[in-house]
Amino acid sequence: MITIYHNPRCRKSREGLTLLEESGKTFEIVKYLEDLLSEEDLKTIISKLDIKPIDLIRKNESTWKSDFKGKELTDEQIIKAMVNHPKLIERPIVVNNDKAVIGRPKERILDII
């Protein structure tokens, strides 16, 4: 099953959703700002992305700049920051079984669907 972690207010996320819709594949939409992700959810997604938690952070978000930038944080602390401040999570994320990509640029989604 394909899942897109989506923020409807984000242009890049909307572009990723459109690409999935045009693919004709069945997929699920998770509006992660409403349906909040747990630490375990994030750890699973990060593992499928094969990245470090810091690579999933939107470093230009004001919350990151004011509360976290420049601090020495463990992976666990970074994941907790994303759980507590979901706007920090890069988007869109598309997961297809055991594979995942951050859909920036949106064409990266084609690699896993």
Side-chain angles (χ1 to χ4, degrees):
M1 171 59 110
I2 299 170
T3 303
I4 182 170
Y5 294 88
H6 176 59
N7 177 352
R9 297 188 67 186
C10 171
R11 181 176 56 87
K12 297 290 185 182
S13 195
R14 290 192 307 269
E15 289 174 1
L17 179 61
T18 298
L19 188 143
L20 280 177
E21 289 169 342
E22 291 171 351
S23 77
K25 306 236 185 232
T26 302
F27 62 93
E28 172 187 24
I29 300 170
V30 175
K31 294 180 183 176
Y32 67 92
L33 295 178
E34 296 170 18
D35 300 321
L36 302 177
L37 300 173
S38 69
E39 285 183 44
E40 200 55 46
D41 293 334
L42 277 170
K43 287 177 183 177
T44 299
I45 291 168
I46 290 165
S47 173
K48 290 178 181 187
L49 286 166
D50 194 27
I51 62 173
K52 296 273 187 197
I54 192 68
D55 297 327
L56 193 55
I57 291 284
R58 294 175 50 80
K59 294 171 191 77
N60 286 326
E61 278 295 325
S62 59
T63 302
W64 179 259
K65 289 179 179 179
S66 65
D67 297 354
F68 303 101
K69 185 178 180 180
K71 295 182 180 177
E72 296 263 341
L73 300 172
T74 65
D75 288 350
E76 197 66 34
Q77 289 170 316
I78 293 168
I79 289 169
K80 285 181 194 257
M82 287 187 278
V83 168
N84 293 326
H85 307 280
K87 280 188 166 185
L88 293 177
I89 301 170
E90 190 63 77
R91 68 235 179 195
I93 302 166
V94 178
V95 177
N96 187 1
N97 297 314
D98 62 343
K99 299 176 190 170
V101 295
I102 298 170
R104 288 174 173 259
K106 67 183 178 200
E107 290 77 16
R108 293 188 69 211
I109 296 168
L110 297 173
D111 295 339
I112 67 164
I113 61 170

